[in-house]
Amino acid sequence: MDLGIKTWALAALAAGAGLALAGCATDASDARAKIVKAPVVCQNVTVQIYFEPDSAEITDEGRAVLSQAASQAKACKVERVKVLGLADAVGAPAANLELSKQRVASVTQALVASGLPEGEFDLAAAGQQGATTQDGEARPLRRRADVTLELAAP
């Protein structure tokens, strides 16, 4: 063989080997990505949704928190959803109990709308019960709903 043919043959072999290795590297990493996945972590999620005074309307921030909680639950089995509506001690006890029930309903609807997988719902409203300190001061941070998503691996 003359030098030109040998050089051409070596170049062709090198190019072919390079393409083969490049193809293997891409295929191997793609295959590895399909096989090696991070395990699904299904830990309970607890969030608090705060409301304006005398309101059961969920704020944009509250919707974002609920949406993120529902998103975390999508890869898991939702065993139970606990929603507890609370109210402060301002106003009549009966009105505060009704307000906390409305907050529970708003949160439940928002969770379902955000795509939360089906699960058993445990809904409760406490009204203003526990909304004052021993000194009789009102606790404004009681204008909320406490939400717990009890999750398990699928």
Side-chain angles (χ1 to χ4, degrees), residues 2 12 42 50 52 54 56 64 70 83 87 89 96 99 112 128 130 140 147 150 154:
D2 81 4
C42 295
Y50 291 90
E52 294 297 322
D54 298 322
V83 182
N96 286 332
L99 181 59
V112 171
Q128 69 183 40
V147 182
E150 293 181 0

Side-chain angles (χ1 to χ4, degrees), residues 94-110:
N96 286 332
L97 180 60
E98 182 58 33
L99 181 59
S100 62
K101 288 178 183 179
Q102 292 170 4
R103 289 174 176 167
V104 168
S106 294
V107 167
T108 303
Q109 290 170 354

Side-chain angles (χ1 to χ4, degrees), residues 1-153:
M1 278 190 196
D2 81 4
L3 190 55
I5 294 177
K6 285 184 184 178
T7 304
W8 183 83
L10 285 174
L13 281 172
L19 287 175
L21 288 175
C24 289
T26 301
D27 291 342
S29 65
D30 288 345
R32 188 177 312 116
K34 290 178 184 174
I35 294 171
V36 179
K37 294 181 181 176
V40 174
V41 178
C42 295
Q43 295 178 344
N44 293 352
V45 175
T46 300
V47 296
Q48 294 178 327
I49 306 303
Y50 291 90
F51 296 88
E52 294 297 322
D54 298 322
S55 175
E57 185 177 333
I58 299 175
T59 63
D60 291 340
E61 294 85 6
R63 286 195 191 290
V65 169
L66 291 173
S67 180
Q68 182 170 355
S71 212
Q72 288 177 309
K74 285 188 180 179
C76 304
K77 177 182 178 210
V78 179
E79 292 186 331
R80 182 179 310 262
V81 178
K82 294 181 179 180
V83 182
L84 173 63
L86 302 165
D88 59 24
V90 177
N96 286 332
L97 180 60
E98 182 58 33
L99 181 59
S100 62
K101 288 178 183 179
Q102 292 170 4
R103 289 174 176 167
V104 168
S106 294
V107 167
T108 303
Q109 290 170 354
L111 283 169
V112 171
S114 66
L116 180 72
E118 287 188 32
E120 183 179 330
F121 277 78
D122 183 5
L123 309 176
Q128 69 183 40
Q129 183 180 5
T132 56
T133 66
Q134 290 180 350
D135 298 334
E137 291 182 48
R139 296 181 178 169
L141 293 180
R142 293 269 306 185
R143 294 188 301 258
R144 70 177 195 269
D146 295 337
V147 182
T148 301
L149 307 179
E150 293 181 0
L151 308 175

